[in-house]
Amino acid sequence: MPVNINGYNKIKEQLQPFAATLIAVSKTKPAEDILAMYELGQRDFAENYVQELTGKYESLPKDIHWHFIGHLQTNKVKYIASFVHLIHGVDSEKLLIEINKQAAKVNRTIPCLLQVYISKDETKFGFDEKELEAVLQKISNNPSLFSSIKITGLMGMATFTEDNALIESEFAHLKKIFDQVKIKYRNSSIELTEISMGMSADYMFALPQGATMIRIGSLLFGERNYKPS
Ligand SMILES: *Cc1c(COP(=O)(O)O)cnc(C)c1O
């Protein structure tokens, strides 16, 4: 299936008033589809599976920014630490510690977004507000323990629903949490600038609520054969 060039141009246009970045979610899609988007000027791509990401990283142009948006297992961090541009879904302190360790080994500082649980779907991951506060507090109190990661923002996923008002309120909730913690930790090593929220079905609700990154897969590359994890 060819990539949706009209869809790409339309989304780029819709993004303009919002100063948000389009992340093209290329999971399950072949390298040729990614190259077609690359030819249009797209440089930010996201993957959910470590093995698939490392394979694509090796075979595709090196100026691509590779985002990891899946549920990252601690034992797989080492495979992506040398090149990953941003890890969106960090949802435990244990994972953060492992990312820090692997980043140090390759002399990098890896930018990370903390995933916040904002939806009603039990299959989704993320910190609740209390846990988020606890992990941010720990990082700000112990910067030397986390010197090879940088928390640059928050990520969230809305409920999978037709109820647009619910989706909007969940994105607004994430923005509110973001504004609170951004101020609270502004004098620490934590400098929050990014809110990664919005996918093909709901990015139009995420943009007005303050998304700085939207993660779009099927609208650009067509439907996938298996469900996103
Ligand atoms: C798959 C996936 C997306 C993209 O989903 P689409 O509905 O195809 O746009 C965005 N974010 C995450 C975390 C995903 O897993």
Side-chain angles (χ1 to χ4, degrees):
M1 151 124 196
V3 301
N4 182 356
I5 294 177
N6 289 339
Y8 178 75
N9 290 331
K10 184 177 152 220
I11 294 169
K12 291 293 277 189
E13 225 177 271
Q14 288 170 325
L15 277 176
Q16 276 184 1
F18 294 105
T21 302
L22 171 61
I23 319 268
V25 178
S26 48
K27 63 187 175 201
T28 81
K29 299 298 175 182
E32 65 201 78
D33 287 6
I34 297 173
L35 276 177
M37 280 288 153
Y38 181 91
E39 296 298 326
L40 298 176
Q42 181 65 24
R43 289 296 179 274
D44 289 273
F45 292 89
E47 293 282 335
N48 283 50
Y49 307 99
V50 166
Q51 210 178 352
E52 191 177 341
L53 172 55
T54 54
K56 287 173 175 173
Y57 166 71
E58 276 158 28
S59 65
L60 285 160
K62 290 295 175 288
D63 61 343
I64 288 178
H65 291 161
W66 288 108
H67 298 248
F68 191 83
I69 60 172
H71 187 62
L72 184 56
Q73 289 170 284
T74 49
N75 61 351
K76 301 225 168 127
V77 175
K78 57 178 176 284
Y79 301 116
I80 63 171
S82 68
F83 68 89
V84 70
H85 182 72
L86 177 64
I87 300 176
H88 288 235
V90 178
D91 61 358
S92 74
E93 189 184 315
K94 186 172 152 233
L95 178 57
L96 212 48
I97 289 168
E98 178 65 14
I99 296 170
N100 188 73
K101 180 177 149 195
Q102 296 300 334
K105 274 194 192 169
V106 292
N107 270 311
R108 290 191 67 207
T109 302
I110 297 183
C112 297
L113 306 182
L114 299 177
Q115 184 167 359
V116 184
Y117 183 80
I118 54 169
S119 86
K120 305 207 180 303
D121 295 342
E122 284 179 13
T123 53
K124 299 207 163 110
F125 297 98
F127 296 104
D128 66 26
E129 279 178 69
K130 268 216 174 93
E131 295 164 339
L132 178 71
E133 281 283 338
V135 76
L136 287 170
Q137 198 67 56
K138 179 142 186 191
I139 298 165
S140 75
N141 289 343
N142 306 277
S144 63
L145 282 184
F146 295 97
S147 58
S148 299
I149 53 130
K150 191 163 173 43
I151 305 296
T152 59
L154 304 180
M155 180 267 209
M157 294 172 84
T159 302
F160 185 70
T161 174
E162 305 277 298
D163 182 350
N164 295 339
L166 177 63
I167 295 172
E168 253 167 11
S169 74
E170 290 172 349
F171 288 146
H173 185 210
L174 183 57
K175 172 68 157 88
K176 189 170 148 225
I177 296 170
F178 173 87
D179 287 340
Q180 282 167 357
V181 293
K182 183 184 167 76
I183 290 175
K184 182 159 177 193
Y185 295 99
R186 67 178 180 273
N187 293 323
S188 75
S189 62
I190 302 164
E191 202 189 317
L192 301 172
T193 55
E194 307 295 344
I195 309 179
S196 169
M197 59 184 186
M199 314 176 20
S200 292
D202 58 19
Y203 74 96
M204 286 310 288
F205 304 110
L207 288 170
Q209 301 301 334
T212 67
M213 295 178 168
I214 58 171
R215 310 176 309 270
I216 308 291
S218 41
L219 266 187
L220 299 175
F221 294 103
E223 294 299 322
R224 287 176 299 273
N225 290 329
Y226 57 94
K227 272 188 68 171
S229 70

